[in-house]
Amino acid sequence: MSSLLAKKLILASGNPGKLREFCQLCEPLGWQIVPQSALGISEAEEPHGTFVENALAKARHAARASGLPAFADDSGICVEALGGAPGVHSARYAETAGNRDTQDARNNAKLIAALQANADRRAHYTCVIVLVRHADDPEPLIAEGRWHGEIIDTPRGDGGFGYDPYFFLRTLNRTAAELPAAEKNKISHRGLALAALAALLKREA
């Protein structure tokens, strides 16, 4: 396998839900994942309009601060009827000066309100992962995953995070929040993107 896998990889994220899922996903791969917060690295700005640009900015920031290879994801939900919104703004879709602990609830309320009179509920989660060998890496590894579903009005399930209780998978007749973690990780946008990244790393061996 690639020499990258013999080193620590810094995960450039402070999102507890993402950290939990990435640790679960990376454990079978034998990767030594260190969250940037464990090294006192602050979160990077995410000013860009695309997932790939934001993920690259976060990965470079963590690599520069740590001196180690780093990877970051940028992900969100894209709703067809809303022209792809919330997209890169998914985590802050209904951002106010209020408590961040209620952010998911406010985001979901705004999304359901925006779709109130719309019959088209198609949506997909997108995850783009970027890994840099060092801060100025001119050839970052880029992997992407998409998970297709639809938005429902009434939440179901208490697992996952973000928009998961409203993200309905018709073929399974369940929402993302109703899936056991192991099942979700096999089919989710994040799981698909990480599998694609692992394939890229193996080709580098």
Side-chain angles (χ1 to χ4, degrees):
M1 299 185 77
S2 170
S3 60
L4 273 173
L5 300 189
K7 301 178 181 179
K8 293 179 181 177
L9 290 178
I10 306 303
L11 173 57
S13 176
N15 182 304
K18 287 186 180 182
L19 288 174
R20 182 175 62 251
E21 288 193 355
F22 268 124
C23 285
Q24 292 169 343
L25 288 162
C26 290
E27 185 177 3
L29 300 173
W31 297 3
Q32 186 178 3
I33 305 300
V34 179
Q36 64 181 11
S37 59
L39 301 179
I41 300 172
S42 63
E43 293 191 35
E45 295 294 324
E46 302 176 49
H48 304 292
T50 65
F51 294 111
V52 67
E53 289 174 297
N54 283 329
L56 180 59
K58 290 187 284 188
R60 289 202 192 283
H61 172 77
R64 184 166 288 111
S66 67
L68 294 168
F71 74 104
D73 91 303
D74 198 41
S75 55
I77 195 164
C78 301
V79 180
E80 298 294 335
L82 302 180
V88 296
H89 304 294
S90 293
R92 303 172 300 279
Y93 188 43
E95 189 167 53
T96 68
N99 192 332
R100 289 187 66 180
D101 291 342
T102 64
Q103 188 68 52
D104 283 352
R106 287 183 279 119
N107 286 341
N108 281 306
K110 181 176 179 178
L111 179 62
I112 298 308
L115 289 172
Q116 195 85 55
N118 206 306
D120 185 359
R121 295 303 185 92
R122 292 173 299 154
H124 62 272
Y125 272 123
T126 292
C127 174
V128 177
I129 301 176
V130 175
L131 186 150
V132 294
R133 304 159 189 83
H134 54 84
D136 298 313
D137 190 348
E139 297 180 296
L141 300 180
I142 301 173
E144 182 177 357
R146 287 191 178 192
W147 194 20
H148 293 272
E150 56 191 85
I151 304 300
I152 57 174
D153 287 326
T154 304
R156 289 170 42 177
D158 55 9
F161 64 100
Y163 299 88
D164 286 357
Y166 295 85
F167 187 70
F168 183 68
L169 306 156
R170 188 165 293 279
T171 56
L172 299 178
N173 194 32
R174 286 181 289 177
T175 66
E178 294 178 295
L179 298 177
E183 183 177 357
K184 179 186 177 185
N185 287 341
K186 289 179 181 178
I187 61 176
S188 74
H189 55 310
R190 198 162 287 115
L192 295 173
L194 193 61
L197 178 63
L200 291 174
L201 286 168
K202 288 177 182 177
R203 288 211 299 267
E204 285 210 336

